[in-house]
Structure formats: structure tokens, C-alpha cells
Amino acid sequence: MDQIRRVIIALAAVLVWALVPNAVQAEEHELVITHMEIAETNIRPKVGDTVKFINQADIAHNLYLTYEDGTVQNLDTQFPGMSKTAKIERSGKVVVRCWIHPVIRMEFDAADAD
Ligand SMILES: [Cu+2]
């Protein structure tokens, strides 16, 4: 009886694991903002992943992401020392800019989710 119960519990655990794939597979990528730029990195996030922007500058920024279809994702004001996280919504080229400092600009490619 105990063995059957253990097998049922194991099967239930596998089923739960299979039903929540994205929550388990999503990755977090990190980008650091120095004074007036975003430190060069080669991130390649997938849709559903998050990108964490860490403000190590001594000035405030307000980053926003623009997707290929024109959709804008605004991260709001980010004071020195603050981190903001964006969940990637669409695949393709993503441009990151700052409303306050137009000189800040970087881009990365987002891949489709698995
Ligand atoms: Cu800025």
C-alpha cells in the first residue's frame, strides 16, 4: 500500500512540474547602468524572461523598452541604487532608451519562448 502511495505522489509531482514550464524555465538577465550608459553585454533573453536593470550611476534614470511593433514598456523613474525589472513581452529587436537622457541607448535581440 505504501509503495502505491509513493508512486502516486511521484506521478503527481511530475504532473505539476509539467504544468508550470514557463515559471520554472524563465531566466533573469542583468544589465548595469553606469553614469550615462548601459554596460556592454551580450544578453539574449527569451520571451517570458526578465531583464533586471541595476542603476549604479549617481543620477536617476527612466528606462523604456521599445519592441519592433512599436510597443513601449516603461520602467518608471529609477533612482541611484535602484533596480527595475522588465519581463520580455515580444521577440525580435528590443531597444532600451532613457526618457531623461536620450544619449543612453542599447539594444538586444529577444528570442521566442521554447
Ligand atoms: Cu537616464
Side-chain angles (χ1 to χ4, degrees):
M1 233 15 209
D2 256 11
Q3 268 179 327
I4 292 169
R5 192 175 296 153
R6 262 185 237 129
V7 168
I8 289 170
I9 289 169
L11 287 174
V14 167
L15 189 63
V16 167
W17 182 263
L19 289 174
V20 286
N22 286 331
V24 174
Q25 289 168 5
E27 267 184 73
E28 184 172 77
H29 308 264
E30 286 189 355
L31 291 174
V32 172
I33 315 162
T34 55
H35 184 59
M36 280 289 190
E37 59 182 17
I38 298 170
E40 200 60 48
T41 55
N42 272 322
I43 64 164
R44 179 134 168 86
K46 293 183 183 128
V47 172
D49 284 0
T50 52
V51 179
K52 184 181 187 181
F53 295 91
I54 304 162
N55 187 5
Q56 289 186 357
D58 54 5
I59 52 174
H61 294 290
N62 186 333
L63 300 180
Y64 63 101
L65 282 60
T66 307
Y67 294 93
E68 276 181 19
D69 67 357
T71 304
V72 171
Q73 197 175 352
N74 183 19
L75 298 186
D76 294 322
T77 306
Q78 183 171 3
F79 294 102
M82 271 177 81
S83 293
K84 291 278 187 174
T85 300
K87 186 169 181 178
I88 300 304
E89 296 172 353
R90 289 166 172 75
S91 60
K93 191 172 84 173
V94 182
V95 178
V96 183
R97 305 195 70 180
C98 176
W99 290 116
I100 305 167
H101 310 101
V103 71
I104 292 180
R105 184 188 195 283
M106 69 92 61
E107 59 183 61
F108 57 82
D109 281 306
D112 284 311
D114 291 328

